[in-house]
C-alpha cells in the first residue's frame, strides 16, 4: 500500500487574508470559498454544530494543496503561546524553496513580516535558510539551494 501527502490544513481567523498571502507571495491559485456545515463535520471534529469556511490553494508546480480554514462555530480558541516558536512539539512550519532568498526576504519585510534572523548559509548542505512569522502567527521557512 502506498500513500501520498494530500494537503496541509491551516486554521486561521482570516480565511481570505491568509489565502491572499499565499497567492501573492508563493504563486498559489485560490479556489472558491466553500462552506463546511454538516453532521459529518461535527462527528469528524468532535465539535458540536461545527461549521467552517475554507479556500483550497493549489500550485501549478506542486501536487500538494493548502487548505486555509476558518471555524465559524465554534470559533478557534485564543492562540497558544507556542505559535511561531520553532522547537515546540507539533506542527512547526511550512517551507518554501525560492530562487532568490534575499529578494523574497526583502519583499516580505516590506510587507511588514517579522523574520527570526537574516538568511543563514549552511555550507555543508549547500543551502541558505531563514524563518519568518507569516499571517496568523504561521511559522514559514524560506530556503534557497546554492
Amino acid at each position: 500500500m502506498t500513500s501520498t501527502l494530500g494537503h496541509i490544513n491551516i486554521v486561521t481567523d482570516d480565511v481570505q487574508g491568509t489565502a491572499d498571502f499565499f497567492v501573492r507571495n508563493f504563486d498559489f491559485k485560490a479556489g472558491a470559498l466553500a462552506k463546511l456545515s454538516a453532521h459529518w463535520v461535527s462527528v469528524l471534529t468532535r465539535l458540536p454544530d461545527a461549521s467552517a469556511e475554507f479556500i483550497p490553494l493549489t500550485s501549478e508546480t506542486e501536487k500538494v494543496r493548502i487548505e486555509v480554514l476558518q471555524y465559524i462555530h465554534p470559533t478557534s480558541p485564543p492562540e497558544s503561546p507556542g505559535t511561531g516558536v520553532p522547537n515546540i512539539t507539533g506542527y512547526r512550519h511550512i517551507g518554501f524553496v525560492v530562487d532568490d532568498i534575499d529578494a523574497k526576504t526583502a519583499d516580505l519585510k516590506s510587507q511588514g513580516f517579522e523574520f527570526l534572523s537574516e538568511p543563514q548559509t549552511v555550507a555543508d548542505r549547500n543551502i541558505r535558510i531563514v524563518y519568518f512569522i507569516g499571517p496568523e502567527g504561521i511559522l514559514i521557512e524560506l530556503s534557497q539551494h546554492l
Side-chain angles (χ1 to χ4, degrees):
M1 178 198 282
T2 62
S3 61
T4 59
L5 180 62
H7 70 272
I8 297 167
N9 178 270
I10 299 173
V11 176
T12 179
D13 287 326
D14 180 5
V15 68
Q16 190 64 59
T18 302
D20 290 346
F21 166 81
F22 287 103
V23 168
R24 178 176 56 252
N25 291 292
F26 296 104
D27 299 324
F28 279 85
K29 305 285 186 241
L33 179 71
K35 297 193 183 293
L36 297 173
S37 183
H39 177 70
W40 70 265
V41 177
S42 295
V43 172
L44 181 70
T45 63
R46 291 187 177 177
L47 297 170
D49 301 317
S51 64
E53 296 179 335
F54 81 98
I55 298 175
L57 304 175
T58 57
S59 166
E60 291 181 17
T61 59
E62 302 297 327
K63 292 182 180 178
V64 175
R65 220 174 33 171
I66 295 176
E67 292 182 352
V68 179
L69 188 133
Q70 180 178 357
Y71 278 88
I72 306 305
H73 183 267
T75 58
S76 296
E79 182 177 342
S80 74
T83 301
V85 180
N87 64 341
I88 299 298
T89 302
Y91 162 81
R92 290 304 6 125
H93 70 266
I94 184 170
F96 291 97
V97 177
V98 297
D99 292 333
D100 186 340
I101 198 167
D102 294 314
K104 182 54 84 175
T105 298
D107 177 42
L108 290 161
K109 282 183 178 180
S110 75
Q111 295 176 50
F113 292 103
E114 175 190 349
F115 281 74
L116 275 59
S117 70
E118 292 301 316
Q120 301 296 300
T121 300
V122 184
D124 63 339
R125 294 190 58 217
N126 233 13
I127 196 170
R128 291 189 71 214
I129 191 168
V130 69
Y131 286 149
F132 73 97
I133 309 296
E136 304 280 339
I138 301 165
L139 187 62
I140 299 174
E141 172 192 288
L142 300 179
S143 64
Q144 176 185 348
H145 298 287
L146 300 175

